Amino acid sequence: MLIIPAIDLKDGHCVRLKQGAMDDATVFSENPGAMARHWIEQGARRLHLVDLNGAFAGKPKNEPAIKAILQEVGEEIPVQLGGGIRDLDTIERCLDDGITYIIIGTAAVKNPGFLHDACTAFPGHIIVGLDAKDGKVAVDGWSKMTGHDVIDLAKKFEDYGVEGIIYTDIGRDGMLSGVNVEATVKLAQALRIPVIASGGIASLDDVKALCAVADEGIMGAITGRAIYEGKLDFRMAQTEADKCASSQ
C-alpha cells in the first residue's frame, strides 16, 4: 500500500486547509518544488497535487508551481493532479507537462459525459475523486451536498473505465481525527478498481488500520496535515505499509 503525500497549492504556496475552507489555510512551504523533493527523499512513491485555486475557479491556477514540482520530480515517481480540470484540452496539457494521473472530481459528478470522454481519450490516466459525508457525494469544494450515493456513483464511473477512486471523508479531512476505515472498505468491496483513502489520517495507527484491510482493494492513502505538522512520520508510515504488505 502506498502512503501518498499531498501537496495542496494555493497562490503558489504549499498549504493545508481544514475541511476545505479556503480562508482557513496554513502555509507549510513557499517552495513547492523543494517540498516535492523532500517527500521523494523520505521515500514517497507517488505525489498527490491539488490546485486549490483551480478547484474553486474551475480552471488551473497554479501552473507555475505545478511545473516546478514536475521539473523537480522528473520521471522518478508518478504525480497525480486534481483541481479545476474541466475539459479535455486541459487534461492533454497536464499529461504533456508530465502529470501521470488526472483527478476529476466535481466535473465527474456534474458532467458525467465529460468523464466518459476523458476515459475514452486518455485511458489509464483518469482517476475520480469522490468526496462524501454520510455516504452522500459533495461537490464544488465540498460546499454543496448532492443526493448521489457514493457507491452507486463509483460503480457507474468504474464502467466508464476510470483507473481508480480517491475517496475522501469530508467530515474528517484536515481534522486529524482518524480515517473512516469502515466507509472506505465498504466502497472498495463494491468495486473492481482500486480505492485510495483520503481524509483524516492522523497517526501510525490509522496506517495500520488501513493496511489490515488493504487486500479489500485499498491501494493507497493520501496524507497531508499529519505529515506537515509532524504527527505522522512519513518514512515510518511507508515502512509500516510495506511491512504489512509483505506479511499478508
Side-chain angles (χ1 to χ4, degrees), residues 6 34 36 38 47 59-60 68 71 100 104 125 128 130 140 146 157-158 172 204 222 227:
H38 169 74
L47 292 178
K59 58 184 178 183
Q71 202 168 355
T100 313
I104 301 176
H125 292 286
V128 167
L130 289 178
D140 293 333
T146 73
F157 295 159
E158 176 179 66
R172 302 188 184 214
L204 214 49
I222 295 164
I227 54 173

Side-chain angles (χ1 to χ4, degrees), residues 7 9 32-34 36 47 49 64-74 79:
I7 299 180
L9 299 166
L47 292 178
L49 310 187
I66 292 163
K67 283 180 178 172
I69 289 168
L70 291 170
Q71 202 168 355
E72 191 61 55
V73 172
V79 176

Side-chain angles (χ1 to χ4, degrees), residues 42-74:
Q42 292 294 307
R45 300 203 284 269
R46 186 187 288 206
L47 292 178
H48 175 79
L49 310 187
V50 181
D51 183 338
L52 292 169
N53 303 98
F56 283 85
K59 58 184 178 183
K61 289 287 186 181
N62 280 283
E63 287 184 271
I66 292 163
K67 283 180 178 172
I69 289 168
L70 291 170
Q71 202 168 355
E72 191 61 55
V73 172

Side-chain angles (χ1 to χ4, degrees), residues 65-145:
I66 292 163
K67 283 180 178 172
I69 289 168
L70 291 170
Q71 202 168 355
E72 191 61 55
V73 172
E75 295 183 6
E76 283 182 69
I77 60 170
V79 176
Q80 57 195 42
L81 170 69
I85 297 167
R86 304 277 196 272
D87 60 72
L88 298 180
D89 287 345
T90 301
I91 295 175
E92 187 168 27
R93 192 168 73 248
C94 291
L95 294 176
D96 285 347
D97 285 345
I99 295 291
T100 313
Y101 300 107
I102 298 294
I103 304 159
I104 301 176
T106 292
V109 182
K110 288 184 157 184
N111 185 0
F114 161 59
L115 177 67
H116 194 280
D117 290 346
C119 290
T120 304
F122 309 104
H125 292 286
I126 307 298
I127 293 174
V128 167
L130 289 178
D131 306 326
K133 189 175 183 181
D134 303 325
K136 299 298 180 189
V137 174
V139 293
D140 293 333
W142 307 350
S143 60
K144 293 178 190 156
M145 295 302 298

Side-chain angles (χ1 to χ4, degrees), residues 130-136 150-151 166-189 195-203 205-207 209-211 213 216 218 220-222:
L130 289 178
D131 306 326
K133 189 175 183 181
D134 303 325
K136 299 298 180 189
V150 69
I151 290 177
I166 294 172
Y167 174 67
T168 306
D169 183 324
I170 63 176
R172 302 188 184 214
D173 187 75
M175 302 305 286
L176 301 176
S177 57
V179 71
N180 191 335
V181 176
E182 188 185 350
T184 308
V185 168
K186 197 174 162 191
L187 178 62
Q189 287 174 335
V195 170
I196 297 173
S198 172
I201 291 174
S203 68
D205 286 342
D206 291 320
V207 174
L210 279 172
C211 284
V213 292
E216 298 287 357
I218 300 166
I222 295 164

